[in-house]
Amino acid sequence: MRLMFGLIAVFASVLGGFYAMGGRMAVLWQPVEIVIIIGAGIGGFAIANSPSVLRDTLRAVGAIARGRSTPKNDYLDMIALVYGLLRVAKSKGMSQIEADIDKPAESPLFTQYPNVLRYERCMTFLCDYLRLIALGQDNPHDLESLMTEELDTLGRELNQVPKALQNLADALPALGIVAAVLGVINAMGAISEAPEVLGRMIGGALTGTFLGVLLSYGMVGPIASAARQRRESELNMYFCIKAALCAYLRGSPPQVCAEYARKVLYTDIQPSLAEVEVATTLSSQAKARDARQPA
């Protein structure tokens, strides 16, 4: 919804302003110029990026069009899940959660939070490091260093699509100039035509520059920025896990670990202390209820 509203606002403002100053809208309709700019942009984008980035770009743009982002409740569920796992590990030992981390989709702890299970790669990250702890890697500095290295790699990977889109946005004004130059060359070839004909041809050529700049700063650039923000919000999930597990290895109780996880989130998505207390209390009650149920 925000994508459609933004695009409508951009094009309505620009085209409406042009019409209000007395411009002729028909002059802006230059199909050949549009084909040159968009075709060259898509071609260059395909050359510059791997197939995986191309597929990921389609998914990212689709998510932006649907307005999909990481909601605040998903972060809260993630904190509650990590709290529940660490609570069991602290009271009964890491061996008690090995079955949970081996098959999260079948775990009573994990299935309490179906929204979190959708983040498959994030769940793999969590289970991998819990498994390392269960295997005896209890040095907080070593584990934190390993998580930092992995998150650096993950951050670069998640930034591939925003970077590719921003490169396309940066190239569009130049491609607009290419279309404009071709239009001027065409106009110079018809220099003997009447002035009004020559004027229309030159005006059409200059439309290429206009379209390149508009598509860059009014469309592709903002989409690249939106994709970057969504990737950063996804990365925050991993930082929550890292903060909680490092606090656990340093000997903090599970409730304090949950507070560490909460503190690394941005203000607009950070749940309050009271919300975390309620979520972790519900997690504890659900675990106790499951334990009372007969096998």
Side-chain angles (χ1 to χ4, degrees), residues 31 106 126 290:
E106 301 174 9
L126 171 61
D290 293 339

Side-chain angles (χ1 to χ4, degrees), residues 241-256:
I241 295 170
K242 174 186 174 183
L245 294 186
C246 289
Y248 174 78
L249 289 176
R250 288 192 291 267
S252 300
Q255 194 67 49
V256 175

